[in-house]
Amino acid sequence: MTSEELKNRTKHYSLSIINLVEKLPITAASKIVAYQIAKSGTSVGANYRAVCRARSDKEFIAKMEIVLEEADETLFWLEIIKEKNWIEKATVDSVWKEGNELTAIFVSSLKTVKSKI
């Protein structure tokens, strides 16, 4: 997968997170979770773009670790949403699956670059 394809994929992931947030019920607890997942979920794509501008392997690793951290946090919030039954299971599972696949790609990229240095 090229960096351009991954940029598009992470952007679409951000949009799917926004769409999911817009379906959440309006309660005190869900507002907090909505804010958190909106931040972490959209941060995946935004920070991946920064990875693409890395000027060295060390900078790539540092930036990619931020992307990985945000992706993992987003998976956590998706698990909370699912366990609270705030949104239908199929919708959450679809977004979670994409987040999990992206996380695997990021981990693989990090391992590859770390093995070079």
Side-chain angles (χ1 to χ4, degrees):
M1 175 171 290
T2 68
S3 63
E4 279 305 309
E5 290 170 329
L6 200 47
K7 276 185 191 179
N8 279 330
R9 193 166 169 182
T10 57
K11 180 174 69 175
H12 288 290
Y13 182 65
S14 295
L15 291 168
S16 70
I17 292 294
I18 292 167
N19 290 338
L20 186 136
V21 165
E22 290 175 343
K23 293 178 183 176
L24 286 170
I26 300 173
T27 67
S30 68
K31 284 181 184 179
I32 293 166
V33 172
Y35 175 75
Q36 294 293 338
I37 195 170
K39 276 182 52 176
S40 65
T42 57
S43 181
V44 171
N47 282 303
Y48 179 72
R49 286 179 179 245
V51 167
C52 294
R53 293 187 307 274
R55 294 163 289 188
S56 67
D57 286 346
K58 284 187 175 187
E59 186 177 359
F60 175 92
I61 290 167
K63 290 178 183 289
M64 185 61 92
E65 285 178 345
I66 293 168
V67 172
L68 184 57
E69 185 179 321
E70 296 294 340
D72 188 55
E73 180 181 340
T74 304
L75 291 174
F76 171 79
W77 294 120
L78 287 168
E79 290 169 14
I80 295 296
I81 290 167
K82 184 177 176 180
E83 289 181 30
K84 289 295 293 176
N85 294 310
W86 281 334
I87 298 176
E88 68 180 44
K89 183 182 180 305
T91 301
V92 180
D93 284 348
S94 171
V95 178
W96 189 89
K97 181 178 182 278
E98 176 65 1
N100 200 42
E101 288 176 12
L102 288 169
T103 298
I105 292 167
F106 302 144
V107 167
S108 177
S109 294
L110 269 170
K111 284 182 179 178
T112 300
V113 174
K114 283 181 177 180
S115 72
K116 289 191 331 185
I117 52 176

